[in-house]
Amino acid sequence: MEEKIIQYIRGRIKSEEEMCEILDWIEASEENQKKYSEMKNLWVLTGLKKVKEIQHQKFFTKKSGEVKETSIRLWLKYAAVFAIAFLAGSLSLYFIGQKQLNHLSEVYNEIQIPNGEKSSITLYDGTKVWLNSGTTFKYPVAFNGGKRNVFIEGEAYFEVAKNKKKPFVIHTGEMDILVLGTKFNVYAYPEDDMLYTTLEEGSVNISLPAIDKKFNLKPGEQFEYSKSAKLPQLINVDTRLYTSWKENILRFENASLAEVFKKMERWYDVKIIVDKNLDTSERYTITIKTESLREMLKVLSLTTNMKYEIKEDMVKISKP
């Protein structure tokens, strides 16, 4: 089981049957939970006290007394190896006392997803999270308290593992989302005025501390909130329009051209400069699956009086 736990921590368990087996083992006793926490935290803390899983970020690890610069993937490999060696008693790099273990919920991992990319992660409680472009996600090394608190800036889709004794809470800065076990999408980019929570299954409770209001969502409902106007509302929507991004599908229904361009910037990691004489208020209903930037622009140009020019990571849109 120990080897399976290591593989689970490293995100290499793909079989749903094996994942259930591991999660059942973790939840079976406090002793198992403690052992899992020790293994996970050794993996995280062996190389650095604060971990940022950022693409292209450089880290430093020790090997045979030499300092070596390495990529995040290689660093994680060494961290896992060090953890195994420590547990086996052959290497003593760190000693984590009981007092430190009691504060593991205060130690956070941070994942930053660059524009143009997407990622996914399975948390130790079994919760699955898909992260969209330009998103920052923070989660504790261990869920030791009465709640499972995580923090997000950007967009993410959640399949939250059920645990009535330990609610899952998502913090966005403007709103807090409390769930027990459900599937939903959260859109909360700090630079955007609008926040959205779109519910597919189960139920969620949304709290807005700034205006002291709470809302309950049902499947098929979307919660919208304007940060500038302090205006919340609930509407019924086709949830596929807001969740298909995790399947590499862009859907727009009655969306303005300005909204389409904004989403394209994150999706393709480009800067789109629009001629002020071009009307961006036109509305679009389209579905795009895995097309390239050039193909996407070509589709838009067939229905819009516009021309485009691509220069590296910049797109200029103007009238013909």
Side-chain angles (χ1 to χ4, degrees), residues 147 167-170 176-180 182 203-207:
K147 294 180 180 179
F168 195 94
V169 184
I170 301 166
D176 299 326
I177 306 166
L178 185 147
V179 301
L180 297 176
T182 186
S203 64
V204 300
N205 300 321
I206 295 178
S207 174

Side-chain angles (χ1 to χ4, degrees), residues 234-245:
L234 287 176
I235 60 174
N236 292 311
V237 297
D238 179 355
T239 59
R240 293 175 302 172
L241 294 171
Y242 304 93
T243 62
S244 60
W245 60 265

